[in-house]
Each structure stands twice: as structure tokens, then as C-alpha cells.
Amino acid sequence: MPAQLSAEQIQKAEQMVRARMASDPVFSNKMREGKIKFLVEPGDKLSQIKIVDMTNVANVEKYGGRAMFNTPQEAEHFTLGFGRQPTREGGLKDAAYRATMPRYQHQINDPLRKYSKSKLADAGQDILSTSRYAIPFGAMLTNVAPLPTMVITAGVGAAAKGLGALTGEEELQETWPNIAGNAAAAGTSVAANRYFSEPEVKERQLKKHVANQLGIEPSQLEAGLLPEIKQTLETTPYTFGDWRNRPLTQFDAANPDANVKFKSLPMVFTPGKELGTTGAKVMPKGKDIKMSRQQWDAVAKKFAIDVGMPDTDPEQVKKFIMEAWARPQSVEGETFYGKKGMPKKKWIERKANEENPFTQELYKQQAYFEDPQMQEAYDKAMADYKARWKRMKTKGPKASIITPQQYAKMGDYTLPVWAKLGNERLSISTRPIIRAGATLLPLGVQALAPYAIKAFTEDDND
């Protein structure tokens, strides 16, 4: 049995919200728009009220799948195992209303409800945002799956029928067609409501956008990619470089204490007598290199071909040669020509901080591991990495697959209108309308269910 919430806990949570609304306009708007939710986190010794910012991906992922409500009082009242609502002590009538009429929660007794436009608007907002107050019994909790919701609703209806049979009072009995209709409507409404909720729509739109950028079907996206993208979008765009590096990033996360060694690089040859060629002589190591631009281009091109990266910018190759070949005791010289290995953690750091793209690729390409299993895993990661480069070779490493601004605009269906604000064409949101229709339609169908079931289950004797 979880510890019950005290009146002081609920009042303290309400005071915190009111104070923050007074000092933080952004939070205040989110609260008015229904984007701030509350839930109860049960504990054996201490249960707590948690606040969930629905616009914060990490916050939603942390508490997602839990029943969320619009105020601390609602969270306490409608969370299974609680429901005492200690800040609202009323008579028998109030107790009956609280137990049987969820909309009674919209009364002004809840101090945070005064921020709503009206009782009607408040109820309407809840229908569009959660449907907890529009659908009785099992549909009260949006996060309950459709099938359990149907079972719960059918169970309540069956209990009503059983009560009528027990007392002999027919008016208390619920008919089986109504029980079936209630159960089907509740389950379908919850499913439709969840499907068109902002997080669900946002998830589908993100999935489709990323798949389009990568030229694949949404079903082909690799496991774990979307959560990784959402985490990145909290601060920065998710780029093609992030996606290409993903196999190597996952490899880096395993066995961080391993030691990395590096394969030998080709020698650097002097320029040839003819323009654009190189000679057979090896360039003196450890000495200043003075050549014309054309000679440098020839030497850099030859070296890039020898290491298997022929399309590299000659300036990047020149910079590497100047650091690694002309300065044997430099970091690059000791790493690639001095047979000097390093701990994997240091190697990961070097790759991340290297500013020269050519050198960065050499850190990846020339690395090897003495452990056969680790080498096999690295070969597989490198093969995947190169295949991704080949597939998206026209996209630069810093090109965005999706930006935080693009992601922030997802989660809605919009319809363009003729009006403009500056150069931007305005649009209206249609998701709440679609969601309301999808949620409430099964309730309309529910009204016809008894007649439909009767038509299929009874003989026509007329």
C-alpha cells in the first residue's frame, strides 16, 4: 500500500505552480495551454507529486506511459490507490460527486482551475487533450491500453447487471448489448485518442521525416535511432555526420579500457620533374618542406590515393604531412609513424577533437585491435560506416537531418490559409478537431450498438 499524499503536499505543489506562473510567462502559457501535467509517484514511505513538461522530450520519456493530469488535486484524486483528495473535505453529496462524476473536478474549488476560460472550455480542453472526463469507467485514463479498457468497462457493466439481478430491481440492470457497446466504445475511443495525441503525432512525423531524409521506409529505421535523435535535438541538430558515425559511436561505448594500435601509413614521396607528378624518392623525414602549390597538390594527391582516400582536399592532406612527416615528435608523427598505441578512451577523445577531417579519418581507418573479437566488431562497424558514406556521399557531415526548430513544429496537422504574416503564410491547427472527432465518434456509434446487436442476435418474427 503506497503512502497517501497529505493536504500539505498538494497545497505546496499548488503554491509552487502559482508562484512559477507569476514569475515565468513561458511556464504560465504552458499551464494555460494544458502542456504542464502532474502525476503521483507512489512510494512505500513517501509518495510524491511530479510535474511533467509535455514539451520537454526527456521529461516525457522519463514519465511517459504514466497517467498524467492537469492539476495536483486531479493527480491525487484519479490515481489508482489514492483518490482521497484531502484538500477537498465535503459532505455526502460532494463525496458522491467526486466518486461518480469526474467533471466535478472542474469546480473552482481546485485553485489551479481558475486559470481556465470557463467550465465549458475547461471540459472541452480535457476532451481534446486526454478524454479522461469524456468517457466513463475504463476510458478515464488515457494511458490505459484499449483492450484492458474494454475489459474494465465490460466488467463495470456486468457488475451493474449483477446488482440489478441480485436486488430484483430491473431499473438497475444494464443490458448485455449496452455492456458490449460501452466496452467497445471505450476501447476504441482510447485508441483513437492516443493515436491523435500530440506526442503520438510528433513521433510519427519525426519517424517519417528521418526516413525521407535517409531515403528509406519508416519501418526500416534502426532500433534506438529515434530516442537518440530526440536526445540530440535537446541542444543541437541531428546531422548526417551523427548518423554515419553511429556504428562507430556504438562501438566506442563498448570496452572503453581497451588499447588501440595503428597500422603503418605509406611514405611521402618528393614531387616529380614533370608538373603534377611525384618521383620515386622518399621525402626526407623531419625536415621543413618547401614546395610550390602545384608540387604540393601532386604530393598530396599521391598520398591520398595511397591511403585509400583519393577524393580528399589536398589542403587537408598537406596539413597532415606537415604535422606528421615533417615533425616526427608531434602527436600525429608519434601516432602514425612512431608505432605508438594509446588507450581507447584517449583515441575516442582524439577522434572527437581533431579539426582536420583527413586526420580524423586516419584515426578511424588506421586503428586496429589485437583482440580478435574486438577487431571483428570494429571491422563490422567500419564497414557499416563506409556503406553509410557511400549511400549519402553528397551530404556533408554537418548537414542537418533535422533541427530542433523543425522538431518543435511537429506534433500537429496544419491547414494553410490565405493570410500571411510578413512573408510567412499562416495556417490553422486541425489535429485537435481530428482528435476530438476520432475520440467521440465511437461514443456516437455506441448509442446504436444495442440496436445493431439486437438485429444480429434475435430472430425477426414479424
Side-chain angles (χ1 to χ4, degrees), residues 138-216:
M140 279 171 53
L141 300 178
T142 296
N143 291 317
V144 175
L147 183 57
T149 299
M150 293 173 67
V151 173
I152 293 169
T153 307
V156 172
K161 185 176 180 70
L163 179 62
L166 183 66
T167 61
E169 301 178 53
E170 291 187 3
E171 64 269 19
L172 292 181
Q173 289 195 45
E174 180 62 278
T175 65
W176 287 115
N178 276 343
I179 292 173
N182 273 323
T188 305
S189 291
V190 171
N193 188 272
R194 290 186 63 184
Y195 185 82
F196 289 108
S197 67
E198 185 176 358
E200 292 281 337
V201 172
K202 197 166 190 173
E203 183 82 3
R204 290 196 300 274
Q205 289 176 340
L206 173 64
K207 191 173 185 179
K208 184 177 180 180
H209 176 88
V210 173
N212 285 340
Q213 290 288 300
L214 298 178
I216 57 178

Side-chain angles (χ1 to χ4, degrees), residues 243-261:
W243 175 72
R244 279 191 286 253
N245 279 316
R246 194 164 186 262
L248 299 180
T249 303
Q250 291 177 321
F251 172 83
D252 290 347
N255 302 307
D257 298 323
N259 195 57
V260 184
K261 293 190 174 182

Side-chain angles (χ1 to χ4, degrees), residues 332-452:
E332 291 87 346
E334 290 186 343
T335 299
F336 295 103
Y337 288 103
K339 307 294 184 182
K340 185 176 181 181
M342 64 183 67
K344 190 180 178 187
K345 289 180 180 178
K346 190 173 184 179
W347 173 61
I348 294 171
E349 184 180 334
R350 289 270 183 88
K351 288 190 297 177
N353 297 328
E354 178 54 55
E355 295 181 357
N356 185 354
F358 181 70
T359 307
Q360 189 179 62
E361 287 302 308
L362 289 177
Y363 271 117
K364 300 171 186 175
Q365 179 176 293
Q366 299 301 116
Y368 74 94
F369 300 85
E370 292 183 332
D371 179 80
Q373 290 184 337
M374 188 172 293
Q375 183 60 42
E376 182 181 355
Y378 187 61
D379 288 341
K380 184 177 180 181
M382 277 297 293
D384 192 356
Y385 167 74
K386 290 178 180 178
R388 293 177 186 222
W389 258 110
K390 187 176 181 180
R391 239 180 82 203
M392 291 289 172
K393 59 184 178 183
T394 60
K395 302 291 187 180
K398 294 183 180 180
S400 298
I401 290 178
I402 183 169
T403 66
Q405 293 76 17
Q406 288 174 311
Y407 182 60
K409 292 179 180 179
M410 291 181 177
D412 199 0
Y413 302 121
T414 58
L415 183 66
V417 297
W418 60 269
K420 286 187 176 182
L421 182 62
N423 295 324
E424 186 176 351
R425 192 176 182 186
L426 299 178
S427 60
I428 58 173
S429 172
T430 60
R431 185 189 62 81
I433 300 170
I434 295 171
R435 190 182 190 194
T439 301
L440 299 177
L441 180 61
L443 299 180
V445 175
Q446 175 188 357
L448 300 176
Y451 304 101

